[in-house]
Amino acid sequence: MDIKEKIENLTAELLKHQYLYYVKTAPEIPDKEYDRLFDELAELEKKYPEYASDNSPTKRVGSDLDNTFPEKEHSIPVLSLEKEYTIAGLEKWLAKTIANSDKTLSFVVEEKIDGASIVLYYKAGKLDTALTRGNGLVGNDVTENARTIKQIPLVTGETADFAIRGEIFFNKSEFVTFNAAFENKFANPRNLAAGSLRNLKSSIAAKVPLKIFTYEGYFTPPFTNDHIMILAKLKENGFTINKNVGFFSDDSGMRSRVNEKLPEIFSGAISELPGYVKRRMEQRDNLDYEIDGLVIKINELDVRDALGYTAHHPRWALAFKFEAPTAQTRVKEIQVQVGRNGRVTPVALLEPVKIAGSTVSRATLHNQEYIEMLELGIGDSVGISKRGDIIPAVEEVLEKDPENPTIFKFPRECPFCKSILEKDGGHHFCKNRACPERLARAIIYFASKDQMDIDTLGEKTIVFMFEKGFIKTIPDLYSFNYDELLKEEGFKEKKVNNIKTSVENSKKKPFRKVLTALGFDGLGASAAADLIKNGFNSIDKIIAAAARGNVEEFSRIGGFGEITANLLIKHFTDPQRLAVIEELKKVGLNFAEEMPAMREAGDMPFNGQVWVITGSFDNFQPRSKAAEEIERRGGKVTGAVSSGTTHLLVGSAPGSKLQKAQQLNIAIIDEPHFLEMLKETCI
Ligand SMILES: [Zn+2]
């Protein structure tokens, strides 16, 4: 066999197994064997690139280049669908559509996958471009990342150009594991699918097992008048189509022709359609992917052409959504906020709408990725929800602004200081520490109710004083001569006196309050309490430890970990921050407090307990740290389980001690439970 033939055979072999694995989900060879064949092919292709096929599985591994995802225009219509939320509404649409047509209609019902919409353009049968839906007219070119999705054929049996619509999604069952690998930055599988498609380097995207269902094909010239036959053709060409599709026609001959080609799908008379929709709705939670509804489409393509489109929707399809959004409104403006630590948060300003009795006019948009996932622009109609009592969030775009369908672009610069924003993890940051917005936010935070509680200095007053140049930093709050305010409009003597009093009173706040009011990253109320509890009961002790730069000194504190420890070292060795602290000291704020009193031995929470430890722990490495915690609470730690043992602390991969403890009916404590116990018995 010559090299060329060998490469061809290997390619064909791998493609077959890829198809079996990803499309049929019925692999015939073990993963290891597949990897071996893959490596062999990659090696040969490297030596003889002239023989490598465009369709080679090695072309799906992606590149390390930063993708820029340039915008490109769509050449097929990608409009959103009219939405209906009730079976009655669906039945009405069905009746109206049938009555308005002089032809006999049939319908196709497909699941509306909650993922990232994509259009695949094929040239002469080969994948040429993959675009996101974007605003319907222009999408982002994500070809490099789409190529890494094994269910997307790179080469098909077709010879002509055609376009395919599909939905990229991520399996629910794999979400938790994969999200952990991305530091849990994705809120749900849909976020992960959209994020990997749009934001990752293709070499990383290639490691994410994204899936696709294709559901529309645009072939010219058309080879059929039936949408359902397009699905059959997609399947023949190696595309993955959803098996949860329903075909509804009153022509039984047509139904059996369809089931010959697509035996896996449901078919029935049109009268059965609403019942099918109800059943699919009930089956929703049994799926391994998220759907938010069903799509009902007219099957006949000539009827579709004749019906055409309204300004925003095709007239031949309907989205049946399982849940109506909590509230519907319009985005008037998108504001970019910068926090005291530089983090940039986009906020949607809404036309006021009532949700559960309260009027909502702002909603969080989290970050740039979230906006891109929603494909949200100013002027769009959106669905808003308010889950629990948290800040309302924009959940979905219901309707792009017909006048100006755009997607909001994050500014390149901080709107307040014009420095270039930097991306760090999922968020953008203004890294300019002299940024006026960051400084003002730090002062507002310091004076806020949960911090120093200087209630006479609300956000408005602080912003006013900041803009006037009266205060620039936190210590200025204590050195400013508030009598100056009497010259300003709206500041009467009584008001100014009240401000003076509350500023003076804030000096009595305990050290732990002062510590958190500084607003340092990673130093919230519980971290401050932990520091104090663990002997860092004065700022001098903290600064001295930070100066020693020994991460251990902080990371040994339960729940801190290295990240927090390093942050503390960074903050408390920073000259600018130390200067602020020094000034606040001079003013007379509390920078030390008494250690919580030690208890008598008899009062110790673990007094009389005998513990044995087995397995390994996330929060206690080495294991002796867990022993220290027990001993500090008056407990004893021994090496072997005996009848005298009262508690067994069990980590992952425990030894035989666990069985023995179970036999002896000893209390078995896992790590989360242990952490709870430590919290309840703070020492
Ligand atoms: Zn800035």
Side-chain angles (χ1 to χ4, degrees), residues 101 105-106 112 135 217 219 232 237 265 278 315 326 343 369 429 434 564 657 665:
S101 176
L105 299 183
S106 49
K112 195 170 178 300
N135 64 1
F219 294 87
N237 271 299
I265 72 165
K278 275 186 225 163
R315 287 198 178 89
T326 320
R343 184 154 131 179
E369 270 166 39
F429 289 85
T564 308
K657 289 172 187 167
N665 242 345

Side-chain angles (χ1 to χ4, degrees), residues 71-112:
E71 289 187 342
K72 281 195 183 159
E73 247 174 75
H74 283 291
S75 57
I76 58 159
V78 240
L79 296 182
S80 58
L81 300 177
E82 193 183 330
K83 292 170 183 72
E84 187 56 64
Y85 300 97
T86 61
I87 293 284
L90 162 71
E91 283 171 331
K92 219 167 132 188
W93 180 86
L94 211 54
K96 186 188 78 186
T97 308
I98 292 169
N100 286 347
S101 176
D102 45 15
K103 296 209 174 179
T104 308
L105 299 183
S106 49
F107 295 89
V108 177
V109 179
E110 298 163 10
E111 286 174 333
K112 195 170 178 300

Side-chain angles (χ1 to χ4, degrees), residues 409-569:
K409 284 222 172 60
F410 237 62
R412 236 168 57 86
E413 297 170 346
C414 169
F416 304 97
C417 72
K418 303 292 167 212
S419 55
I420 302 290
L421 297 179
E422 289 174 41
K423 203 168 176 208
D424 198 345
H427 292 275
H428 282 76
F429 289 85
C430 166
K431 300 247 165 146
N432 173 14
R433 295 176 68 178
C435 174
E437 181 68 7
R438 288 185 55 177
L439 295 174
R441 287 284 142 200
I443 301 173
I444 291 165
Y445 180 80
F446 182 86
S448 65
K449 192 167 187 329
D450 288 340
Q451 305 304 323
M452 299 299 274
D453 194 19
I454 312 178
D455 58 352
T456 51
L457 289 180
E459 187 168 331
K460 255 194 189 157
T461 311
I462 291 176
V463 168
F464 173 79
M465 290 169 65
F466 190 84
E467 283 173 353
K468 279 273 171 182
F470 294 162
I471 49 169
K472 293 191 180 66
T473 60
I474 292 168
D476 293 346
L477 286 175
Y478 295 96
S479 58
F480 176 63
N481 177 7
Y482 287 91
D483 287 335
E484 294 284 319
L485 284 176
L486 291 168
K487 297 176 200 156
E488 304 296 330
E489 205 181 317
F491 288 91
K492 298 262 161 56
E493 200 172 337
K494 186 169 175 219
K495 186 169 175 180
V496 171
N497 281 339
N498 283 342
I499 295 177
K500 283 189 203 166
T501 312
S502 61
V503 168
E504 201 52 36
N505 282 342
S506 74
K507 291 182 183 170
K508 293 178 204 136
K509 289 274 168 191
F511 172 49
R512 57 186 68 220
K513 278 284 175 197
V514 178
L515 198 52
T516 58
L518 294 170
F520 297 170
D521 222 3
L523 190 46
S526 72
D530 284 342
L531 274 172
I532 292 164
K533 228 158 43 198
N534 284 278
F536 293 104
N537 58 329
S538 76
I539 200 85
D540 294 335
K541 285 186 185 169
I542 297 173
I543 292 172
R548 287 192 290 274
N550 184 359
V551 181
E552 269 274 292
E553 274 192 76
F554 292 123
S555 67
R556 70 173 173 80
I557 298 174
F560 265 32
E562 274 190 25
I563 294 176
T564 308
N566 279 314
L567 274 175
L568 290 176
I569 291 175

Side-chain angles (χ1 to χ4, degrees), residues 263-478:
E264 68 272 37
I265 72 165
F266 177 86
S267 69
I270 293 176
S271 59
E272 294 175 62
L273 194 154
Y276 175 81
V277 166
K278 275 186 225 163
R279 285 203 302 282
R280 295 293 345 142
M281 206 169 152
E282 285 157 11
Q283 288 299 313
R284 175 190 193 180
D285 290 338
N286 298 337
L287 301 170
D288 194 20
Y289 46 87
E290 290 181 331
I291 65 173
D292 60 0
L294 298 165
V295 180
I296 296 97
K297 300 170 175 174
I298 294 179
N299 174 51
E300 287 72 22
L301 302 180
D302 58 349
V303 176
R304 287 189 184 186
D305 286 344
L307 284 174
Y309 300 86
T310 70
H312 346 105
H313 306 302
R315 287 198 178 89
W316 44 264
L318 182 77
F320 176 79
K321 305 259 292 181
F322 296 153
E323 284 132 23
T326 320
Q328 220 169 305
T329 183
R330 202 180 66 91
V331 174
K332 288 197 297 189
E333 186 61 58
I334 294 175
Q335 223 175 47
V336 174
Q337 298 185 342
V338 177
R340 65 183 194 280
N341 290 315
R343 184 154 131 179
V344 177
T345 316
V347 174
L349 304 188
L350 310 165
E351 273 170 8
V353 60
K354 280 219 158 161
I355 300 183
S358 63
T359 303
V360 170
S361 56
R362 306 157 70 83
T364 178
L365 294 167
H366 306 294
N367 55 26
Q368 182 186 26
E369 270 166 39
Y370 192 75
I371 293 176
E372 283 172 10
M373 184 200 75
L374 295 172
E375 302 188 320
L376 173 72
I378 295 166
D380 293 352
S381 298
V382 291
I384 307 285
S385 78
K386 202 175 170 190
R387 297 191 181 136
D389 264 323
I390 49 169
I391 321 155
V394 173
E395 293 290 334
E396 62 177 334
V397 172
L398 298 169
E399 190 86 67
K400 295 294 300 172
D401 179 1
E403 306 285 300
N404 184 25
T406 54
I407 292 174
F408 180 76
K409 284 222 172 60
F410 237 62
R412 236 168 57 86
E413 297 170 346
C414 169
F416 304 97
C417 72
K418 303 292 167 212
S419 55
I420 302 290
L421 297 179
E422 289 174 41
K423 203 168 176 208
D424 198 345
H427 292 275
H428 282 76
F429 289 85
C430 166
K431 300 247 165 146
N432 173 14
R433 295 176 68 178
C435 174
E437 181 68 7
R438 288 185 55 177
L439 295 174
R441 287 284 142 200
I443 301 173
I444 291 165
Y445 180 80
F446 182 86
S448 65
K449 192 167 187 329
D450 288 340
Q451 305 304 323
M452 299 299 274
D453 194 19
I454 312 178
D455 58 352
T456 51
L457 289 180
E459 187 168 331
K460 255 194 189 157
T461 311
I462 291 176
V463 168
F464 173 79
M465 290 169 65
F466 190 84
E467 283 173 353
K468 279 273 171 182
F470 294 162
I471 49 169
K472 293 191 180 66
T473 60
I474 292 168
D476 293 346
L477 286 175
Y478 295 96

